[in-house]
Amino acid sequence: MSSSETVVRAPSELGAMRRALEIARRGPANGPNPRVGCVLLGPDGEVLGEGWHRGAGTPHAEVAALTDAADRGASTRGATAVVTLEPCNHTGRTGPCSEALLAAGIARVVVSVQDPNRVAAGGAARLRAAGVDVETGLLADEGRALLGAWLPSVERGRPFVTLKIATSLDGRVAAADGSSRWITSEVSRHHAHDLRAEVDAIVVGTGTALIDDPSLTARNAAGELHGQQPLRVVVGHRDLPPDARLHGPGGELVHVRTHDPAQVLAQLAEREVRHVLVEGGPTLAAAFLAAGLVDEVHAYVAPVLLGSGRPAMADLGVTTIGDAVRLITRSVIPLGPDVLIVATVDTQSTTEEN
Ligand code: AOF
Ligand code: ZN
């Protein structure tokens, strides 16, 4: 039980947590490390310092906030640290924040989300053992939303998988002659590019790589490459021709010679990939779904009818409606003439039923 039950929380702590959540978003959405924000409050609720995490290898939010307070000449003895993620208790790329907070004389710590990362967790217990008052769970829903794909990825021990499909209204990704440029509108394609800039890796099958010759880069509306490029992953046994666009400028190219989605994710997990975007084709999409390894689907649907041509999804082994893969719609976003449906797959229940 937390000793915080005896403490009445100052109203400024709620405001400080909102601020910590806000500044955390200045950190990168992708990469191996979480977005974290921290605000240090003095005895009268005044802000002594604030900090956020700027990406793997840089100081954690707590240390950044302590540095900010020191730069401002503020004493942190007896202060409260309001932080979006439980302070870490390990030495990884940087030292343990639990010890940094203790050394700075912090008397109370208010946390939004407990750290699911077993290697780093334990900061709350360490701080309590040293006599610090620790409260967890403040604005926990917002704290989890801030962490995005990082949280489920760490909890599941594998990258979070978003499957992207862009189809006609009748679910096709190419016409009968194979032509597919362009089914969805320019607005949809720009939207999809912005998502590429937020993930750590884009995965396609060799079939798609050979047929479409994609570059798999994240580009802005002007066609220029974003500063942050995802890893480009091609899955399957066939070789790519030496003049494939994938050999051009962009993120690092990785060829995984397997048909097993679990093996692909295991390899990417080793590289600390947290968020994967599966962009097709139909065979790879079906393989990830059938393996229960899709967490979220982004379906761009254009008001176009083809009647024949390539379906978005290869055989899923579904022969009767009761076996259909059912998703939960999270949002429907109009994009010019198209709509984007964002839906999640309840992987937990899929595995239980199997
Ligand atoms: C961060 N930034 O502000 C906090 C983190 O790779 P390391 O050694 O920097 O450790 C990363 C782990 O530390 C991360 O997975 C999380 O569990 C914990 N807290 N990480 O990158 C931060 N507070
Ligand atoms: Zn830390």
Side-chain angles (χ1 to χ4, degrees), residues 60 62 88 95 97:
H60 288 185
E62 301 91 318
C88 71
C97 292

Side-chain angles (χ1 to χ4, degrees), residues 50-238:
E50 51 180 40
W52 67 95
H53 180 67
R54 293 159 197 258
T58 68
H60 288 185
E62 301 91 318
V63 171
L66 290 171
T67 305
D68 184 40
D71 289 347
R72 298 190 200 189
S75 164
T76 51
R77 296 272 138 213
T80 294
V82 177
V83 55
T84 59
L85 184 68
E86 177 186 354
C88 71
N89 196 38
H90 82 310
T91 300
R93 294 179 175 96
T94 66
C97 292
S98 51
E99 302 304 332
L101 294 169
L102 288 174
I106 297 295
R108 175 166 159 79
V109 177
V110 181
V111 171
S112 178
V113 179
Q114 271 171 281
D115 193 345
N117 178 4
R118 262 177 270 150
V119 181
R126 167 73 185 112
L127 289 162
R128 281 188 185 121
V132 174
D133 177 47
V134 181
E135 178 185 334
T136 60
L138 181 62
L139 298 182
D141 288 347
E142 289 86 342
R144 275 191 288 271
L146 164 73
L147 290 167
W150 184 86
L151 188 68
S153 158
V154 171
E155 282 170 350
R156 289 166 207 184
R158 61 158 175 86
F160 182 87
V161 177
T162 299
L163 169 64
K164 187 204 108 180
I165 55 178
T167 71
S168 65
L169 198 53
D170 52 343
R172 297 179 190 275
V173 293
D177 69 351
S179 56
S180 60
R181 258 167 223 197
W182 298 102
I183 292 177
T184 54
S185 67
E186 210 182 345
V187 191
S188 291
R189 298 200 305 276
H190 286 159
H191 191 276
H193 270 283
D194 290 345
L195 177 62
R196 281 182 174 179
E198 283 182 16
V199 301
D200 301 307
I202 304 180
V203 180
V204 295
T206 45
T208 294
L210 292 168
I211 295 168
D212 292 350
D213 192 19
S215 56
L216 300 184
T217 50
R219 297 181 295 273
N220 65 16
E224 303 151 344
L225 295 186
H226 282 277
Q228 176 68 40
Q229 289 297 323
L231 203 64
R232 298 180 288 179
V233 184
V234 178
V235 173
H237 297 291
R238 278 175 293 171

